[in-house]
Amino acid sequence: MLRLIIFLASVVLWVHSSRPISHASGVSAENLSFHGFLQANYDFRLTGQQPPNPQGGDLLFGEERFQLRLGYSNEKVRLFTRTDFYYDHVANRPSIESREAYAEGSAGAADLRAGRQILIWGIGDLLFINDIFAKDFGAFFSGRPIEYLRVPQDAFKLDVGTTGLSAEIMAIPFFQADKLPSNSSFVEFDPFPGVPRTTQDPSVALKNTELAGRIYGTTWGFDTALYLYRGFFRIPALQPNQISAPTLVTETFPRLAVYGASTRGNALGGVVSAEVGYYDSLDDHSGRNPAIPNSQFRYLAAYQRQLWEDFTLGLQYYGELMFQHDAFLATLPAGLPSQDQHRQLATVRLTQLFWNQTLRVGLFAFYSPTDQDYYLIPEIRYSISDNLWVAAVGNIFGGRSTTTFFGQFDADDNLAITMRYEF
Amino acid sequence: MSYVWRLVLFAVAIAAAEEGGQAPLRGASPLEDAASLVRQSQEAFYHAGTDLKARVKMTLLTKDGQQRLRELTMLRKNEAEGSQRYFLYFHGPPDVRGTIFMVYTYPNREDDRWLFIPALNLVQRVAARDSRSSFVGSDFSYEDVSGRDLEADTHRVVRTEALGSRQTVVIESVPTREADYAKKLSWIEQVTFLPLKEEYYDVQGAPYKVFTTDEIRDVQGFPTVTKRTMTNVKTGHKTEVVYENVAYNVGLGEEIFTERALRRPPEKWLK
């Protein structure tokens, strides 16, 4: 496997280096495209602390990766694959990951895409309301390039548009849970420490097919959208087999519907945006089942502005309002952490570019005044040439309590280094 | 605007310049004449045809010869009342391949700007407050790519001058709105109305950026600047831009300039 990666990479590099410099294409016939990258990516914990039975020690993440993107397109049809071949130094084995593989057909104002794809919508910056698609928080918390926050999903997507109004409708027959930081790599809060776990995904059945729809358009300079989703929570709900001394915990994914809206446009000398969503917890309207999240109203307000040349400031304020909070408190099992009725988060993003935008220095910060925890992501990235860049990203967690969303990773502060050669 | 009319305007401007701007000619003040000349120039430089398609190659060069390339397809469509729409699809460098900038420009109003990032399949809205900031790290600003409001400066005819074999009118523009320059001199060609040279001065009165037109070609009857350079005199950094495969009036539809097209770019226009 490793030999295959090296072989493929050397073929690509040889082909690439034997051609004159041009960006127009990798190796391209009229309708074919052939691109990708070679990447080294390592992430180290800096705190000296480790979880019980750590898999990689202080190496939270380490790999060499080769990505191949192959595409074919004409007026009617598009075929695209994005495949990663990599060697994982934590698990000590090579692996293959299909990131995208789809066929797309167009007829008039409609496009239908079927296959593995990256689904995304909503307008938050690292805050998600109507973006209910699968995410890999483990990848994000260990400083991997931002595209790896997204977990590909196998789905059908129909896109219909006019110049005024467009719509996307998706059907997702195969459930994909969010990927959370694994307890073999991360020191993290576990409400049921040491208890064996099993996972119960929603079965593949017509009634379990997730449906998502969005209608969007731009009016008076504002991009406005309405969203609908019917499917499942992607973060597992933990069901112990008995409350007092559980011997097995089952991770389940309760049913969820989300109704939402968003808008954004130029105002106040920058870009202003707002998003709302109602999370309807279909299996627990009463809020009395402690193993199922209660219904919520989520909101987000954001402002982004360029303060001076090549410096941008982004601010966001986000909140989750829990319904039936009294019932939640009344049924909360002893020993489990409580949650505020109105959890709030503020974020700030600062980005400064230097040297004709080849050097980027940035900071993203989360702070929750209700959880009293924080998460800081400093970043520096330099484009050594048009093909080669190198980046260092820090992930710094902390808070008053080790049971809150960011506070639990207090012992996992880490530094990631990435170098990528693109062709 | 017919050629004859342009020439008349030009003659008026020259007359105004030669009289030292003292005597208004036929009711028009020299200030207005300079402004109409700049308007003519902007029409020729940024608004030719009803739409435009071009392959744009930018070379960014540092003082010590390091070079970076930016290659894109520019699709541009004129709208009512001087508004325009731009769809800029990047073919390279590799780390921005497939990135798209979409811009709606409006006279005397902030642009609407969108950015599509292909690796994330993500459409972002971009803050557009400072139109003088660098376009993709080049020495050109956003305004240099899509034009600056006529009313954002006061314009004055300074003199006429020959640049090589071409006759030009030199216009001085002093910003009345936010700008990174204190004064700009433009050498506007008498026949084509294209700017052949521009010098940007800082508050100390020293030139710090120089624009030159290096090649003009006739494309479907429209004189078109197909090679241009912007040099930062202070840093020695410069950006050379070549327009290839320029075509006007190709029939770009409204549907190209939509959020939907960012997620599914119109292949046939990008080859």
Side-chain angles (χ1 to χ4, degrees):
Chain A
M1 179 64 209
L2 185 58
R3 282 186 193 168
L4 178 65
I5 296 176
I6 293 168
F7 173 72
L8 284 170
S10 18
V11 168
V12 167
L13 289 179
W14 176 75
V15 170
H16 184 73
S17 61
S18 61
R19 292 168 46 251
I21 297 170
S22 165
H23 294 318
S25 49
V27 176
S28 112
E30 183 70 1
N31 296 319
L32 290 171
S33 66
F34 172 56
H35 300 292
F37 61 71
L38 262 174
Q39 174 180 285
N41 183 192
Y42 311 100
D43 180 46
F44 303 93
R45 191 194 336 262
L46 303 173
T47 58
Q49 300 179 58
Q50 289 185 353
N53 312 312
Q55 203 184 359
D58 281 333
L59 184 69
L60 279 175
F61 187 81
E63 62 167 33
E64 291 85 38
R65 184 172 286 248
F66 171 63
Q67 180 176 92
L68 196 55
R69 301 195 295 272
L70 297 171
Y72 168 83
S73 63
N74 61 34
E75 292 282 299
K76 295 274 173 220
V77 177
R78 183 165 182 236
L79 304 172
F80 184 74
T81 64
R82 182 194 297 267
T83 313
D84 285 9
F85 306 83
Y86 60 98
Y87 192 89
D88 178 342
H89 289 284
V90 174
N92 271 321
R93 60 182 167 81
S95 201
I96 299 180
E97 181 187 11
S98 166
R99 299 278 306 167
E100 284 180 272
Y102 61 77
E104 186 170 56
S106 299
D111 304 319
L112 178 65
R113 181 179 287 188
R116 179 160 296 191
Q117 45 193 302
I118 304 287
L119 302 174
I120 182 171
W121 61 29
I123 56 173
D125 185 2
L126 299 177
L127 290 174
F128 311 105
I129 297 178
N130 291 293
D131 183 343
I132 39 65
F133 304 109
K135 295 171 198 76
D136 185 342
F137 292 102
F140 184 71
F141 290 165
S142 43
R144 295 182 61 191
I146 184 73
E147 65 251 44
Y148 291 96
L149 171 62
R150 300 285 162 179
V151 181
Q153 295 195 254
D154 298 326
F156 298 93
K157 179 162 78 85
L158 177 68
D159 202 325
V160 187
T162 65
T163 52
L165 211 58
S166 300
E168 279 181 309
I169 299 161
M170 302 169 191
I172 311 169
F174 308 99
F175 177 77
Q176 171 65 57
D178 281 345
K179 295 185 178 177
L180 301 174
S182 91
N183 60 9
S184 60
S185 289
F186 280 78
V187 181
E188 61 190 359
F189 172 65
D190 185 346
F192 302 103
V195 181
R197 292 206 182 185
T198 173
T199 300
Q200 201 172 12
D201 279 348
S203 60
V204 180
L206 193 59
K207 72 174 171 58
N208 284 346
T209 294
E210 298 164 65
L211 295 173
R214 175 173 81 126
I215 299 174
Y216 64 101
T218 301
T219 38
W220 303 299
F222 276 75
D223 305 336
T224 304
L226 294 173
Y227 309 82
L228 276 174
Y229 170 72
R230 200 210 67 182
F232 304 91
F233 283 97
R234 284 187 207 283
I235 292 187
L238 304 180
Q239 305 255 18
N241 59 347
Q242 51 198 38
I243 292 291
S244 51
T247 53
L248 182 70
V249 171
T250 307
E251 298 186 339
T252 67
F253 301 91
R255 290 190 305 139
L256 170 71
V258 181
Y259 316 94
S262 71
T263 188
R264 69 177 166 196
N266 285 353
L268 308 172
V271 175
V272 170
S273 42
E275 183 171 354
V276 292
Y278 174 64
Y279 274 52
D280 190 357
S281 182
L282 298 171
D283 292 337
D284 186 26
H285 275 139
S286 71
R288 301 199 65 80
N289 186 339
I292 297 180
N294 285 15
S295 296
Q296 280 182 343
F297 175 75
R298 296 188 181 188
Y299 64 88
L300 166 73
Y303 179 62
Q304 183 208 333
R305 177 172 185 153
Q306 183 175 307
L307 290 185
W308 56 80
E309 171 137 28
D310 288 337
F311 179 83
T312 311
L313 166 74
L315 300 169
Q316 298 184 109
Y317 204 84
Y318 165 90
E320 294 171 354
L321 273 165
M322 188 195 290
F323 292 90
Q324 280 80 41
H325 191 251
D326 292 344
F328 165 80
L329 290 178
T331 55
L332 184 71
L336 290 192
S338 181
Q339 284 174 39
D340 279 303
Q341 186 186 5
H342 186 186
R343 176 173 179 250
Q344 294 160 67
L345 260 178
T347 77
V348 56
R349 181 187 285 282
L350 308 171
T351 309
Q352 172 77 58
L353 305 171
F354 297 97
W355 303 344
N356 291 86
Q357 301 183 2
T358 55
L359 176 67
R360 182 174 78 205
V361 180
L363 174 71
F364 192 93
F366 290 94
Y367 172 71
S368 169
T370 48
D371 287 352
Q372 294 187 33
D373 62 355
Y374 62 85
Y375 174 25
L376 308 177
I377 313 167
E379 184 202 24
I380 184 163
R381 181 187 191 272
Y382 177 59
S383 292
I384 296 167
S385 74
D386 277 345
N387 293 88
L388 184 66
W389 59 260
V390 58
V393 176
N395 292 285
I396 302 157
F397 306 89
R400 186 178 50 88
S401 154
T402 54
T403 62
T404 57
F405 189 63
F406 298 127
Q408 64 176 315
F409 300 112
D410 195 18
D412 294 308
D413 295 350
N414 61 75
L415 176 70
I417 308 288
T418 306
M419 185 181 258
R420 182 184 288 186
Y421 178 87
E422 304 215 31
F423 60 89
Chain B
M1 186 77 66
S2 77
Y3 240 67
V4 177
W5 181 232
R6 289 186 193 179
L7 287 171
V8 170
L9 275 172
F10 179 68
V12 169
I14 297 297
E18 284 174 354
E19 300 210 359
Q22 297 300 311
L25 280 163
R26 287 167 200 170
S29 77
L31 215 60
E32 284 169 6
D33 296 329
S36 4
L37 201 63
V38 174
R39 178 180 288 121
Q40 292 292 298
S41 180
Q42 289 189 346
E43 282 293 318
F45 196 44
Y46 294 108
H47 292 254
T50 56
D51 61 28
L52 163 124
K53 169 185 183 292
R55 185 91 167 195
V56 178
K57 291 183 178 171
M58 305 183 100
T59 308
L60 283 62
L61 289 152
T62 62
K63 195 169 55 178
D64 47 3
Q66 259 201 338
Q67 94 178 35
R68 290 171 196 259
L69 304 177
R70 307 277 175 268
E71 188 169 343
L72 59 117
T73 292
M74 175 189 281
L75 303 175
R76 185 194 80 198
K77 186 174 169 63
N78 293 349
E79 297 287 309
E81 293 162 8
S83 295
Q84 289 189 312
R85 294 182 175 184
Y86 287 82
F87 190 93
L88 307 173
Y89 178 95
F90 283 82
H91 300 279
D95 68 337
V96 299
R97 182 184 293 115
T99 299
I100 303 168
F101 257 123
M102 184 168 77
V103 185
Y104 287 13
T105 68
Y106 312 97
N108 303 314
R109 212 180 98 195
E110 274 171 13
D111 296 348
D112 287 322
R113 287 187 205 151
W114 292 263
L115 179 66
F116 173 70
I117 302 166
L120 303 176
N121 192 25
L122 179 68
V123 175
Q124 286 182 339
R125 206 51 193 256
V126 186
R129 184 170 156 269
D130 187 359
S131 296
R132 296 302 307 166
S133 55
S134 162
F135 177 71
V136 298
S138 75
D139 296 288
F140 288 87
S141 69
Y142 280 88
E143 265 182 7
D144 297 327
V145 176
S146 61
R148 179 172 168 89
D149 286 331
L150 182 71
E151 295 82 1
D153 304 88
T154 54
H155 309 281
R156 183 173 76 87
V157 174
V158 180
R159 60 180 183 270
T160 60
E161 191 174 303
L163 277 186
S165 61
R166 295 176 185 265
Q167 290 299 316
T168 69
V169 183
V170 184
I171 303 265
E172 180 192 85
S173 304
V174 176
T176 55
R177 292 185 210 152
E178 195 173 321
D180 56 339
Y181 58 89
K183 186 180 84 173
K184 179 175 94 168
L185 290 182
S186 310
W187 280 255
I188 296 176
E189 226 245 63
Q190 295 185 7
V191 183
T192 61
F193 288 86
L194 292 172
L196 298 190
K197 187 167 113 174
E198 291 171 349
E199 289 178 353
Y200 294 82
Y201 292 83
D202 62 19
V203 280
Q204 281 85 38
Y208 72 96
K209 252 168 73 165
V210 176
F211 167 90
T212 54
T213 287
D214 308 321
E215 182 183 87
I216 297 176
R217 283 194 186 174
D218 185 287
V219 180
Q220 299 163 250
F222 298 103
T224 304
V225 177
T226 48
K227 283 187 187 166
R228 64 193 74 184
T229 303
M230 185 74 86
T231 306
N232 186 318
V233 183
K234 290 195 169 161
T235 62
H237 196 279
K238 68 176 176 180
T239 303
E240 297 171 355
V241 179
V242 178
Y243 279 49
E244 291 175 354
N245 306 324
V246 181
Y248 292 100
N249 305 338
V250 291
L252 298 178
E254 295 282 334
E255 73 284 356
I256 291 170
F257 304 91
T258 59
E259 185 184 337
R260 182 163 175 262
L262 292 175
R263 292 175 194 274
R264 202 193 186 293
E267 301 268 346
K268 77 169 197 177
W269 297 110
L270 304 176
K271 296 247 165 74

